[in-house]
Amino acid sequence: MNTKFWHSKPLGAYRVATELRKHGYSVKVLDYFGSWIEDPQVLFELLDLVIGDNTLFVGFSGVFFTPNKAPGTEIIRRWQDYEDMGELTVWPLPQETMQDIFNRMRDRWPHIKLVYGGTNSNLKVKQLISTMDYVVKGLADISAIELADHLRKGSPVKFMPSGSRAKIIDYDTKATNFDFRHSMVEYTETDHIVPGEVLTLETSRGCLFKCSFCGYPLIGRKKGDPDYHKTTESMANELRKNWEEFGVDTYMFVDETFNETTTKIENVLRARDIAGVNLKFGCYLRIDLVARFPEQLQLLKQLGLVSAFMGIESFYKQSAMAIGKSTDPEKVKETLFLMKQTIPGIKLIGGLIIGLPYDNPETLETWVPWVVSQDCPIDMPRFNPLYVEGTNSDIAKNPGNYGYTLYFDEASGKTLWRNQWWDQNQARAYALRAMEQCWDTGRIRLATWDLLGMHNYGYGPTDFDNISIDQLDFVSIAQKKNQQWLDYQQSVFTYEKAQNV
């Protein structure tokens, strides 16, 4: 996550590593991938320590790959300085630079395979088929094991040829046969957890809803489907283990919709009590559910909620209804204020999409100025243009049903949308102007992932109350981030050298 001014461990690689280890494989997860590849000499010094004759593959978890930038420029100054608005990046460095690294790896260790995965890897296949040996689409809890077994003992694995080097593994993108209910992510000493750091955790998978702009692979599942909810015992065990072994009590819950049912929140609360851990956490909330079931607020407060990301998308009723958001926008506004009153100090991010059906420059002026104003309880508005290319959403599959036509934009080299009012470039410009207004009025404050990521530098959730992001001491923060990376690098080398004595 090179565009962020903080760092934390994403979940995916450690989820896959846990399953591989349970099946008898040793796994080394290298965090800070963008930093390692900035200095290939140091990277290969480490790889010499961890790759051996029995190494099967080197895997790349690409969900959070973002372009590497010059030192210090990852610090947010203005929105367009780091603009990650919907862009999908295959590698942190240019393709030719990465190809040189892959060639060196294959020359030095001709027996290993290179594998790319992540929940959005299906959107990157065209760029990967000439460089990777395998591309794993979707959730890899099972397919990673089957691939490892295939490489170690020749057992069969299903794959689809790509017409180039890569074999595409895409037969079970939802890991339907994986026992998620009783699973947990188990960190080991080789993962170099810093005592008390913030970790990511999932208590459920998938989403009940099917918003028309959403391209996540597991949407529209059944309410309360037990296959996609961890048991209370599994959650309690994971919370207890992380607390007893690493002193972790602060989390980023990454469930697609943490508050999908009140019963689910109650189950997590029971797990918390069984584990005996006082939690602090941030999560994705669906605000229309909070509006419909206000009793959730007291439960979330009791559980330890300090910040929430909410996909509000639009405060124009016709647009909200067109994408699957049925709650009246005025009720949403009331609920935002209620959240602030019920959970003092809570920090809120509101995701807002410019260019949805029925939204246009005229209708936007009925609600965007309120979001930008100091009266709005959202701490960090996030205006983004609607993206269609590179998603598996219903809008992408059926643009005409929503009033869009697609066209190739020669300037950007991308397929963009237009409708009867405007086009994607104009919507993007509008989103940037709205964000600039928020910056100019000090409306951009730390919330959710940014707020919790700062926990790893020793900050608490109330340390940034009433402080806009551009008032932060970025020089000190950049120094902390760099020191965190250097400490991690030293920890990895010290550990691996000890294993090779």
Side-chain angles (χ1 to χ4, degrees):
M1 296 186 286
N2 310 295
T3 56
K4 294 294 185 182
F5 52 90
W6 48 270
H7 183 83
S8 69
K9 288 178 167 60
L11 186 73
Y14 296 95
R15 172 88 286 283
V16 173
T18 296
E19 294 309 308
L20 285 166
R21 289 164 180 162
K22 284 171 59 178
H23 286 78
Y25 294 99
S26 62
V27 184
K28 182 68 178 182
V29 180
L30 290 182
D31 210 352
Y32 295 90
F33 177 64
S35 298
W36 286 110
I37 59 176
E38 287 278 4
D39 192 343
Q41 180 178 343
V42 175
L43 171 64
F44 277 85
E45 287 177 10
L46 177 61
L47 294 181
D48 277 329
L49 294 173
V50 299
I51 294 180
D53 293 340
N54 63 342
T55 301
L56 300 174
F57 66 83
V58 175
F60 302 91
S61 178
V63 174
F64 292 107
F65 284 172
T66 50
N68 275 9
K69 299 191 176 184
T73 59
E74 73 274 12
I75 301 302
I76 300 175
R77 292 298 182 184
R78 285 293 183 183
W79 201 250
Q80 66 265 36
D81 288 344
Y82 90 120
E83 191 185 347
D84 60 355
M85 303 171 76
E87 296 294 335
L88 289 169
T89 304
V90 180
W91 303 109
L93 294 180
Q95 180 71 39
E96 56 270 21
T97 304
M98 295 305 305
Q99 187 63 59
D100 289 341
I101 293 175
F102 301 148
N103 291 341
R104 287 180 60 184
M105 292 174 68
R106 286 191 168 103
D107 289 343
R108 189 171 301 191
W109 303 287
H111 65 288
I112 66 170
K113 301 297 183 182
L114 301 183
V115 183
Y116 193 105
T119 54
N120 57 11
S121 58
N122 61 307
L123 306 177
K124 306 177 182 181
V125 168
K126 291 182 180 179
Q127 298 98 318
L128 293 167
I129 57 176
S130 63
T131 57
M132 295 291 102
D133 295 299
Y134 294 89
V135 177
V136 180
K137 292 186 179 182
L139 301 170
D141 309 88
I142 294 176
S143 53
I145 309 304
E146 295 182 348
L147 175 59
D149 288 347
H150 171 71
L151 296 176
R152 182 170 69 92
K153 52 190 179 185
S155 57
V157 64
K158 298 178 184 178
F159 63 83
M160 177 178 66
S162 66
S164 186
R165 172 193 289 272
K167 300 178 178 66
I168 312 300
I169 298 177
D170 67 346
Y171 61 90
D172 187 17
T173 59
K174 298 179 182 179
T176 53
N177 294 318
F178 175 61
D179 183 13
F180 177 76
R181 298 187 68 225
H182 300 97
S183 70
M184 56 187 287
V185 174
E186 298 185 60
Y187 297 96
T188 70
E189 61 177 343
T190 188
D191 294 323
H192 309 280
I193 305 295
V194 176
E197 75 172 284
V198 63
L199 292 178
T200 48
L201 187 146
E202 56 181 352
T203 71
S204 69
R205 276 185 175 174
C207 184
L208 298 178
F209 306 96
K210 295 184 69 173
C211 296
S212 57
F213 63 87
C214 180
Y216 286 166
L218 187 55
I219 60 176
R221 64 162 171 74
K222 294 180 180 179
K223 183 177 181 179
D225 188 335
D227 290 340
Y228 294 106
H229 289 78
K230 286 184 179 178
T231 66
T232 301
E233 293 74 17
S234 294
M235 291 186 287
N237 289 337
E238 189 165 357
L239 292 171
R240 182 189 299 113
K241 183 177 187 295
N242 290 341
W243 171 249
E244 293 178 350
E245 296 187 10
F246 307 111
V248 171
D249 63 359
T250 304
Y251 288 92
M252 300 180 185
F253 286 168
V254 293
D255 307 12
E256 279 85 347
T257 309
F258 184 75
N259 66 323
E260 60 181 89
T261 65
T262 303
T263 299
K264 175 188 169 182
I265 303 173
E266 292 171 338
N267 288 339
V268 179
L269 189 57
R270 278 192 286 271
R272 190 279 309 268
D273 292 341
I274 293 170
V277 183
N278 290 320
L279 297 179
K280 297 185 292 292
F281 74 98
C283 64
Y284 294 103
L285 290 183
R286 179 128 176 169
I287 192 166
D288 54 351
L289 294 179
V290 179
R292 195 180 312 165
F293 307 107
E295 64 272 17
Q296 290 188 353
L297 278 178
Q298 288 296 335
L299 294 172
L300 292 167
K301 178 181 179 181
Q302 187 179 351
L303 187 58
L305 179 67
V306 298
S307 194
F309 188 111
M310 300 165 297
I312 299 171
E313 322 314 351
S314 177
F315 283 99
Y316 187 60
K317 186 173 183 178
Q318 196 171 2
S319 294
M321 292 182 64
I323 59 171
K325 307 278 188 176
S326 59
T327 301
D328 186 276
E330 293 304 314
K331 182 65 174 179
V332 172
K333 291 181 181 180
E334 293 176 13
T335 305
L336 289 170
F337 285 107
L338 180 62
M339 293 180 71
K340 286 285 190 174
Q341 295 167 4
T342 305
I343 308 178
I346 190 174
K347 308 301 189 298
L348 303 175
I349 291 182
L352 300 154
I353 301 177
I354 303 300
L356 292 174
Y358 305 107
D359 258 334
N360 57 62
E362 182 176 338
T363 63
L364 290 170
E365 289 306 306
T366 67
W367 61 268
V368 170
W370 177 78
V371 173
V372 173
S373 75
Q374 298 293 340
D375 296 331
C376 179
I378 298 172
D379 294 280
M380 180 184 282
R382 291 290 302 266
F383 291 97
N384 291 289
L386 172 68
Y387 280 89
V388 176
E389 183 187 37
T391 75
N392 286 323
S393 68
D394 193 57
I395 290 179
K397 296 174 183 176
N398 305 288
N401 292 349
Y402 297 89
Y404 300 101
T405 57
L406 305 183
Y407 70 98
F408 181 76
D409 180 62
E410 293 186 1
S412 64
K414 299 176 181 179
T415 299
L416 307 181
W417 59 261
R418 64 165 59 100
N419 61 20
Q420 68 183 89
W421 295 290
W422 54 349
D423 61 28
Q424 184 170 327
N425 283 325
Q426 292 170 311
R428 177 180 178 275
Y430 189 106
L432 286 173
R433 287 196 301 272
M435 290 309 305
E436 283 297 307
Q437 292 173 22
C438 291
W439 277 103
D440 290 340
T441 56
R443 288 280 287 108
I444 306 296
R445 297 183 287 269
L446 290 183
T448 321
W449 322 127
D450 296 323
L451 182 70
L452 291 162
M454 295 292 278
H455 171 85
N456 286 340
Y457 299 155
Y459 296 104
T462 62
D463 287 343
F464 305 103
D465 286 353
N466 303 315
I467 298 175
S468 63
I469 284 184
D470 55 2
Q471 293 175 317
L472 300 178
D473 182 358
F474 281 118
V475 173
S476 174
I477 292 171
Q479 291 172 344
K480 290 178 184 293
K481 180 180 180 181
N482 186 59
Q483 188 60 53
Q484 190 184 56
W485 151 240
L486 294 175
D487 290 345
Y488 175 81
Q489 184 187 99
Q490 182 180 4
S491 176
V492 171
F493 268 111
T494 299
Y495 179 87
E496 294 303 331
K497 287 178 179 177
Q499 304 307 305
N500 282 270
V501 172

